[in-house]
Amino acid sequence: MNDYWRESLSYFGLYRKMFGAKKRFSPEFVRYGPDRDQYFLYYEPAAPVRDKVIYWVHGGGWNAGNPRFFDYVGQCVAAAGYRMISGGYRLSPGNKYPVQIEDVCSCYNAAIHYLSKRGIDASRIIVAGPSAGAHLTSILCYCREVQEEYRVDISPVVGFIGFGGPYSFREDQSKTLKLLLNQLFAKAYDRRNAEPVSLMSGNQIPMLLIQSRHDGLVQFECAEDFAARAEALGIRCELYSVEDRKNTHSWYTAGLFLETREENETLNKFFSWIEER
């Protein structure tokens, strides 16, 4: 079956499992701006057993989703013993880029301040995100101009993980991705100013790129382009090809957090890579 249709037909099973997910943790709601989407959720494990904090930015094609909708991701990560910040941002098409990266940077800074006020060690941060969230967090981690403009200190970041990210705006992109990008950008905007592979600078944050050859929305080559640029700059990069049966875009970028490490090899890779840092 065509990967696009496999992706489309996967939503029913994903949503059914998502709405049945158990809630073990009650995250704290923290605003960092006046807009309804400018907030983050903080997840505190019952007994933290890990020395890293996960800064997570959700996907949703830049035009949908919020941290509350993806609560099950925070539940899964907190259950594994990690503190987690799940950040929201203003959505397109009502808000055009660079509003989204402005919010992701502001949220990161607000989260660091919040953790510091609570006396929580934030010296070892893993930045991660799926799909649109991978696009935005990769810019946060690897674009010096953005870091300087929004006064972002990435020195505590010890790793970046992106799931299914559109890191390069290829000519052969899917029609769905093309539509989403047209919603994200104003007509006159130079998209190279928002393309991660064009913006990458030579810092040394190691990265794990998780991508599927059967995504249905985002090409595997997007991750290959980003990995090649990282290699050229001397940045350690591991490109992981999703081999799980549930390898369509929504399942391996988000739905995997509804399963266990034993059930899902990609989820196990996510946690194993973090544990090695």
Side-chain angles (χ1 to χ4, degrees), residues 56 72-73 76-77 80 82 161 163 208 210 240 242-244 246 251-275:
W56 177 271
Y72 65 90
V73 179
C76 177
V77 173
Y82 293 100
I161 304 176
F163 296 78
L208 171 64
I210 297 174
Y240 177 84
V242 178
E243 303 299 335
D244 294 289
K246 296 175 179 176
W251 266 111
Y252 84 89
T253 63
L256 77 167
F257 290 97
L258 294 164
E259 300 189 325
T260 66
R261 293 178 69 166
E262 292 72 26
E263 293 173 315
N264 193 295
E265 293 180 7
T266 305
L267 181 63
N268 185 56
K269 179 64 180 180
F270 170 74
F271 283 122
S272 296
W273 194 86
I274 293 173
E275 291 161 1

Side-chain angles (χ1 to χ4, degrees), residues 25-40:
F25 306 94
S26 297
E28 185 167 348
F29 178 95
V30 182
R31 286 206 172 277
Y32 67 88
D35 189 88
R36 66 178 184 178
D37 288 320
Q38 291 177 308
Y39 72 92
F40 64 81

Side-chain angles (χ1 to χ4, degrees), residues 202-216:
N203 67 49
Q204 294 303 310
I205 299 172
M207 67 174 75
L208 171 64
L209 305 181
I210 297 174
Q211 209 90 356
S212 171
R213 296 185 184 276
H214 300 282
D215 182 295

Side-chain angles (χ1 to χ4, degrees), residues 143-190:
C143 179
R144 286 177 178 167
E145 290 184 3
V146 165
Q147 294 157 11
E148 291 173 0
E149 181 174 359
Y150 300 111
R151 300 181 180 179
V152 173
D153 177 13
I154 61 164
S155 61
V157 179
V158 297
F160 164 77
I161 304 176
F163 296 78
Y167 308 107
S168 61
F169 301 152
R170 301 173 60 87
E171 292 294 329
D172 59 347
Q173 64 194 238
S174 69
K175 291 182 180 179
T176 300
L177 182 55
K178 184 178 294 185
L179 173 64
L180 293 171
L181 290 173
N182 287 341
Q183 291 180 345
L184 179 64
F185 299 116
K187 287 185 178 181
Y189 190 79
D190 184 350

Side-chain angles (χ1 to χ4, degrees), residues 7-28:
E7 162 69 6
S8 300
L9 294 172
S10 72
Y11 297 154
F12 175 76
L14 174 61
Y15 289 153
R16 183 175 61 180
K17 197 164 187 177
M18 182 178 72
F19 292 122
K22 295 182 180 179
K23 298 181 182 293
R24 296 175 51 188
F25 306 94
S26 297
E28 185 167 348

